[in-house]
């Protein structure tokens, strides 16, 4: 039990981790933007007039919510290139898997938010002759988004955590770089402790923020 | 145009079946463990004693805020260095996912317990019940029912998270799929089939969940 | 001059008939109060007029133009026609339905800028003018959550007025209010009546209806059961259900 922790090799190789951090951030930002944006589109698709559009959006949500994201990443990495004549690298596969998965989840969040707005708001806006698109943009979404900010922030944290899965297809992000250091210096305990700590320090303030937002929202609704 | 051929994959379906069994085994173990850990953590978190409350809070927050794959690596590669145990992929995964889902269950349970009206505590103590009796007989049964949908959702998340063990070579469904894909040179069929298996399993599970929910709702048990 | 004409309007919900074959002709300057027991379809009739509910059958004419055409599941109407109709018929709801994320002035200006394509500053000027009319110009920059129920409903009236409707539809505008706040809203409606506005008013305030309306419709048995001047319907009702209804509401003073 008298293990001598030695963090020195990690600090000496901080650039390796820094490169990984950049990779993690890059993946996170792209997946966040696509995930939330597409999520909104899919949520609106589920309310569309056209039945095929509704059905398609629903199928999208079900498929991507009911399969593991790692299976999705590997499917895009190994299987998709066989079907489509495209080069799929680790980065693209990770983006596809994580973004689409997050889009399915955020679509449900948006849908819930939109549904939570009282029918009276629709009626009042329609009664002053606003078009459905105007009602959505000017009246419903601003209110819905306010209500779902905590849930969306939470989703963002999940996306950040999910970015580690890209290491499975050898995309250069934090965990992958950690593996590299651990394999050279045989210090997995220190490496994974540091990486866990990095994620915690980065994400915990955001988690606290969502708690605060939730409380504030609960108060303002009361 | 690619010609789909599931033949070679289905011929080896036993491999996938074995993987699926392992996935279920791991899920069930972590679920059972997670519920116990979650309950203990939730009670500690609500305890009037600071010494209990504080560490429980740390465990919950750390395991909810760090990526599960990092946790798994920590338990699999890191932990054996300080604790002399023979670390198998199954043990590492069971430990990680037990504590991780326990942390999530704890928050769900805590929210459920807190959501029960004060009047219930007061009514129970008015008939002379002690705090732990009130918790066990009055509060928990109501809280658990109220939290059932979130619990179900978390359990499904757990099943999906178990795919991470493939990265430490535990022969779960995804790991077996990867092996089979390399053996048969049919990654498209293999991964599509595996995605389908997960989809069906998870859809059935969540369908079962909403069925139970509706049953409870009809019997009025959910409406507190 | 006919402002609004309903011919043979019918509506049912899931097989339950609300009303059938309702005809109504509203002349310019008419102030029509619609009374009836709860569940008699008063609100539904009003909501059918600006098509928040789609009538199953019948036709609607507003300002001399017919709206939509008969389709398989009731009235079919294009988005353009719908918009045109709603611009001509302003609606005030029982629950106010103010937009909570906009200021009071923002609520009133919203339709002007998004629908009437007015510039934001112009819309705001107009909004403040309408707010002054209901006595709330000083609340222009407050959010609805800060207002009393009576103030909210006056803002909702200003929001409807800002769109220059030819006819105002009031759906139980005082039913959600504390008794102490009813007066200020009725005061505003009365003032609009004196200005000669055309209005349809669903209400439980029988005394107010008597005072402000020039015609009363009493809804029962799935249609207009009795109608006439306030004196005819409210003082000398001819038919039993009307008499019964008024007896139940005896506490009201004329």
């Amino acid at each position: 039990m008298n293990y001598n922790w030695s963090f020195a090799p990690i600090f000496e190789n901080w650039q390796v981790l820094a490169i990984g951090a950049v990779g993690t951030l890059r993946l996170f930002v792209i997946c966040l933007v696509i995930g939330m944006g597409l999520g909104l589109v899919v949520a609106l698709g589920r309310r569309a007039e056209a039945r095929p559009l509704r059905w398609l959006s629903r199928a999208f949500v079900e498929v991507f919510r009911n399969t593991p994201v790692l299976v999705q990443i590997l499917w895009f990495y190994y299987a998709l290139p066989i079907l489509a004549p495209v080069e799929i690298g680790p980065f693209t596969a990770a983006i596809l898997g994580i973004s689409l998965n997050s889009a399915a989840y955020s679509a449900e969040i948006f849908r819930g938010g939109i549904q939570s707005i009282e029918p009276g708001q629709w009626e009042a806006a329609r009664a002053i002759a606003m078009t459905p698109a105007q009602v959505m943009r000017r009246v419903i979404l601003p209110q819905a988004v306010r209500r779902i900010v905590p849930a969306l922030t939470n989703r963002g944290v999940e996306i950040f955590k999910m970015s580690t899965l890209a290491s499975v297809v050898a995309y250069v992000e934090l965990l992958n770089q950690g593996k590299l250091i651990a394999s050279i210096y045989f210090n997995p305990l220190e490496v994974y402790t540091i990486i866990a700590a990095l994620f915690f320090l980065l994400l915990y303030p955001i988690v606290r923020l969502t708690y605060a937002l939730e409380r504030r929202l609960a108060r303002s609704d009361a | 145009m690619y010609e789909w051929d599931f033949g070679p994959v289905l011929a080896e379906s036993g491999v996938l079946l074995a993987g699926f069994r392992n996935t279920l085994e791991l899920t069930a173990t972590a679920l059972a463990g997670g519920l116990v850990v979650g309950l203990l953590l939730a009670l500690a978190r609500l305890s009037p004693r600071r010494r209990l409350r504080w560490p429980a809070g740390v465990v919950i927050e750390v395991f909810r805020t760090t990526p599960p794959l990092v946790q798994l690596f920590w338990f699999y590669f890191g932990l054996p260095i300080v604790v002399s145990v023979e670390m198998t992929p199954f043990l590492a995964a069971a430990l990680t996912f037990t504590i991780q889902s326990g942390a999530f269950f704890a928050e769900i349970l805590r929210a459920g317990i807190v959501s029960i009206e004060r009047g219930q505590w007061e009514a129970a103590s008015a008939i002379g019940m002690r705090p732990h009796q009130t918790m066990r007989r009055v509060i928990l049964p109501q809280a658990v029912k109220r939290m059932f949908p979130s619990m179900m959702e978390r359990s499904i998340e757990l099943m999906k998270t178990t795919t991470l063990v493939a990265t430490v070579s535990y022969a779960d469904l995804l790991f077996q799929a990867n092996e089979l894909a390399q053996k048969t040179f049919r990654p498209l069929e293999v991964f599509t089939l595996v995605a389908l298996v997960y989809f069906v399993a998870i859809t059935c599970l969540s369908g079962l969940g909403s069925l139970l929910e509706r049953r409870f709702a009809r019997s009025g048990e959910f409406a507190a | 001059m006919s402002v609004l004409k309903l011919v043979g309007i019918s509506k049912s919900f899931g097989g339950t008939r609300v009303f059938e074959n309702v005809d109504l002709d509203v002349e310019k300057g008419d102030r029509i109060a619609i009374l009836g027991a709860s569940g008699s379809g008063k609100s539904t009739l009003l909501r059918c007029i600006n098509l928040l509910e789609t009538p199953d059958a019948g036709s609607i004419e507003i300002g001399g133009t017919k709206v939509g055409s008969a389709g398989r599941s009731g009235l079919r109407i294009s988005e353009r026609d719908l918009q045109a109709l709603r611009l001509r018929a302003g609606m005030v709801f029982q629950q106010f339905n103010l937009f909570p994320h906009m200021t009071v002035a923002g609520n009133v200006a919203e339709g002007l800028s998004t629908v009437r394509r007015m510039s934001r500053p112009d819309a705001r000027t107009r909004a403040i003018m309408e707010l002054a009319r209901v006595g709330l110009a000083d609340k222009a920059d407050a959010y609805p959550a800060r207002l009393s129920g009576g103030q909210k409903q006056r803002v909702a009236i200003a929001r409807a007025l800002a769109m220059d409707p030819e006819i105002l539809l009031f759906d139980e505008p005082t039913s959600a209010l504390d008794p102490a706040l009813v007066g200020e809203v009725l005061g505003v409606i009365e003032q609009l009546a004196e200005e000669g506005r055309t209005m349809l008013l669903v209400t439980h305030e029988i005394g107010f209806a008597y005072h402000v309306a020039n015609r009363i419709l009493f809804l029962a048995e799935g249609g207009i059961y009795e109608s006439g001047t306030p004196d005819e319907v409210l003082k000398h009702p001819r038919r039993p259900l009307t008499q019964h209804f008024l007896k139940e509401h005896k506490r009201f003073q004329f």
Side-chain angles (χ1 to χ4, degrees):
Chain A
M1 284 298 268
N2 281 329
Y3 178 72
N4 274 330
W5 292 71
S6 160
F7 289 102
I10 302 173
F11 295 131
E12 279 156 23
N13 288 289
W14 68 270
Q15 298 101 322
V16 179
L17 286 185
I19 291 171
V22 170
T24 295
L25 278 178
R26 199 160 63 124
L27 184 61
F28 166 69
V29 169
I30 294 175
C31 293
L32 184 74
V33 171
I34 302 180
M36 303 270 159
L38 186 61
L40 177 58
V41 172
V42 173
L44 294 177
R46 290 201 64 169
R47 313 180 49 95
E49 289 273 341
R51 192 187 288 256
L53 207 60
R54 269 202 321 262
W55 191 88
L56 207 70
S57 313
R58 169 104 202 258
F60 174 86
V61 169
E62 294 295 332
V63 166
F64 280 93
R65 270 166 52 102
N66 288 359
T67 49
V69 64
L70 192 53
V71 173
Q72 291 158 18
I73 294 175
L74 292 180
W75 192 91
F76 284 118
Y77 190 60
Y78 291 116
L80 184 62
I82 296 173
L83 271 185
V86 281
E87 194 82 33
I88 305 255
F91 190 44
T92 317
I95 288 175
L96 280 173
I98 298 172
S99 302
L100 298 185
N101 183 273
S102 310
Y105 277 90
S106 24
E108 286 298 278
I109 297 176
F110 278 114
R111 194 169 71 101
I114 291 169
Q115 273 178 349
S116 78
I117 304 299
E118 303 67 38
Q121 291 290 309
W122 282 95
E123 295 183 348
R126 294 292 278 148
I128 54 170
M130 291 168 86
T131 64
Q134 286 172 334
V135 179
M136 188 52 98
R137 207 183 61 238
R138 301 275 312 158
V139 177
I140 305 301
L141 276 183
Q143 295 185 61
V145 166
R146 221 180 72 89
R147 276 183 209 185
I148 60 178
V149 161
L152 286 180
T153 315
N154 241 325
R155 229 339 84 193
V157 169
E158 286 302 315
I159 294 176
F160 202 95
K161 286 158 66 182
M162 252 186 245
S163 68
T164 52
L165 300 189
S167 69
V168 174
V169 288
Y171 170 69
V172 177
E173 47 72 70
L174 261 176
L175 184 55
N176 197 56
Q177 295 298 84
K179 265 200 268 188
L180 186 68
I181 296 178
S183 68
I184 295 170
Y185 295 94
F186 305 107
N187 57 349
L189 182 61
E190 288 87 346
V191 167
Y192 297 128
T193 304
I194 288 282
I195 291 189
L198 281 178
F199 272 98
F200 186 77
L201 291 177
L202 220 73
L203 292 180
Y204 194 58
I206 303 173
V207 170
R208 290 309 296 246
L209 181 76
T210 62
Y211 293 163
L213 284 173
E214 267 163 18
R215 269 199 303 277
R216 217 186 63 186
L217 218 57
R219 252 208 319 276
S220 74
D221 277 359
Chain B
M1 196 55 206
Y2 180 77
E3 285 223 3
W4 291 73
D5 183 6
F6 282 97
V9 180
L10 290 176
E12 301 272 359
S13 58
V15 177
L16 294 181
L17 217 61
F20 189 51
R21 206 165 41 236
N22 285 339
T23 290
L24 290 181
E25 204 176 293
L26 180 58
T27 307
T29 309
L31 183 61
L35 286 172
V36 175
V37 170
L39 184 58
L40 293 177
L41 283 174
L43 292 178
R45 191 91 176 89
L46 290 167
S47 150
R49 255 172 283 165
R50 222 203 168 95
R51 262 183 330 189
L52 282 176
R53 215 164 55 212
W54 203 77
V58 171
V59 172
I60 292 172
E61 299 296 358
V62 166
F63 276 86
R64 274 160 45 100
T65 316
T66 52
L69 192 55
V70 176
Q71 294 164 12
L72 180 63
F73 282 9
W74 194 90
F75 275 98
Y76 186 60
F77 298 112
L79 191 63
I81 294 174
V82 270
V83 184
S84 49
V85 285
E86 179 96 29
M87 190 54 83
T88 63
F90 180 81
L91 187 57
L95 259 175
T96 311
F97 298 143
T98 292
I99 305 179
Q100 200 226 2
S101 55
F104 278 98
F105 284 139
E107 274 307 280
I108 296 171
L109 275 164
R110 190 176 71 98
I113 291 170
V114 172
S115 79
I116 305 294
E117 301 68 37
R118 284 210 68 78
Q120 294 290 309
W121 285 96
E122 288 167 1
S125 70
I127 55 169
M129 288 173 86
R130 301 164 60 89
H132 71 271
Q133 290 172 324
T134 309
M135 182 61 93
R136 210 183 58 236
R137 304 278 312 153
V138 179
I139 306 299
L140 274 182
Q142 297 183 57
V144 166
K145 272 175 206 151
R146 221 174 260 193
M147 290 298 112
F148 181 78
S150 318
M151 294 286 226
M152 203 64 210
E153 201 181 307
R154 222 339 103 181
S155 309
I156 289 170
E157 284 305 312
L158 172 62
M159 183 172 198
K160 288 189 265 184
T161 313
T162 60
T163 50
L164 303 191
V165 291
T167 60
V168 293
S169 306
Y170 178 65
D172 80 324
L173 178 55
L174 183 59
F175 181 84
Q176 297 290 81
N178 209 8
E179 298 279 291
L180 195 58
Q182 282 171 27
K183 201 172 135 196
T184 58
F185 300 106
R186 292 262 164 209
L188 177 59
E189 286 84 348
V190 172
F191 284 108
T192 305
L193 187 66
V194 161
L196 195 70
V197 171
Y198 276 112
F199 179 79
V200 170
I202 289 166
T203 306
C204 286
L205 216 60
S206 71
L208 183 74
S210 12
L211 197 78
L212 285 172
E213 223 174 288
R214 271 203 301 279
R215 267 283 268 287
F216 286 138
R218 243 205 319 280
S219 71
E221 284 185 85
F222 261 103
Chain C
M1 194 186 103
S2 168
V3 179
L4 173 77
K5 196 170 176 179
L6 305 184
V7 180
I9 294 283
S10 303
K11 179 72 189 172
S12 54
F13 287 117
T16 315
R17 180 196 64 173
V18 185
F19 45 75
E20 218 168 331
N21 245 328
V22 170
D23 299 330
L24 178 64
D25 205 340
V26 183
E27 299 278 315
K28 192 167 164 48
D30 264 348
R31 303 171 306 279
I32 300 176
I34 304 174
L35 306 180
S38 61
S40 60
K42 312 180 292 283
S43 290
T44 308
L45 180 62
L46 210 62
R47 293 161 62 86
C48 277
I49 293 174
N50 75 347
L51 294 169
L52 285 175
E53 306 285 355
T54 311
D56 302 326
S59 71
I60 300 174
E61 240 175 66
I62 191 155
T65 39
K66 203 162 172 175
V67 179
S69 59
R72 240 183 324 138
S73 56
L75 206 59
R76 286 182 62 86
I77 182 162
S78 71
E79 185 58 40
R80 268 240 319 272
D81 279 5
L82 204 57
Q83 204 171 7
L85 165 75
R86 284 171 177 163
L87 280 173
R88 303 175 101 151
M91 179 101 173
V92 175
F93 298 87
Q94 182 179 350
Q95 298 293 343
F96 335 127
N97 297 341
L98 293 183
F99 307 133
H101 60 301
M102 298 177 190
T103 61
V104 163
N107 264 276
V108 181
E110 180 60 24
L112 294 172
S113 56
T114 53
V115 179
R116 290 245 188 248
R117 301 279 165 210
M118 214 182 255
S119 77
R120 298 243 166 228
D122 288 355
R124 186 180 158 85
T125 310
R126 172 72 197 272
I128 291 177
M129 214 178 83
E130 294 299 340
L131 284 170
R133 194 201 291 268
V134 298
L136 287 172
D138 57 322
K139 298 282 183 197
D141 294 314
Y143 280 89
R146 296 254 164 269
L147 303 184
S148 73
Q151 290 173 328
K152 283 183 192 165
Q153 193 59 296
R154 281 147 67 195
V155 174
I157 293 172
R159 179 171 67 182
L161 288 175
M163 304 303 286
D164 288 323
E166 288 162 30
I167 181 167
L168 281 166
L169 311 173
F170 291 95
D171 185 6
E172 303 197 22
T174 57
S175 297
L177 296 178
D178 275 356
L181 302 176
V182 169
E184 59 184 86
V185 172
L186 293 184
V188 169
I189 298 174
E190 190 174 356
Q191 175 198 323
L192 295 171
E194 279 162 13
E195 287 171 16
R197 299 242 179 200
T198 313
M199 59 176 73
L200 253 65
L201 172 69
V202 169
T203 187
H204 291 293
E205 305 277 343
I206 297 176
F208 181 70
Y210 179 79
H211 181 65
V212 96
N214 66 334
R215 265 167 79 196
I216 305 282
L217 305 182
F218 182 76
L219 259 54
E221 293 186 336
I224 298 176
Y225 183 78
E226 185 164 353
S227 69
T229 66
D231 271 320
E232 287 166 358
V233 179
L234 298 178
K235 287 223 163 137
H236 313 286
R238 284 167 290 131
R239 303 191 59 189
L241 285 179
T242 322
Q243 289 163 353
H244 179 75
F245 176 82
L246 289 169
K247 204 171 341 164
E248 297 274 292
H249 290 76
K250 252 241 167 86
R251 58 199 169 99
F252 290 100
Q253 303 281 315
F254 293 139

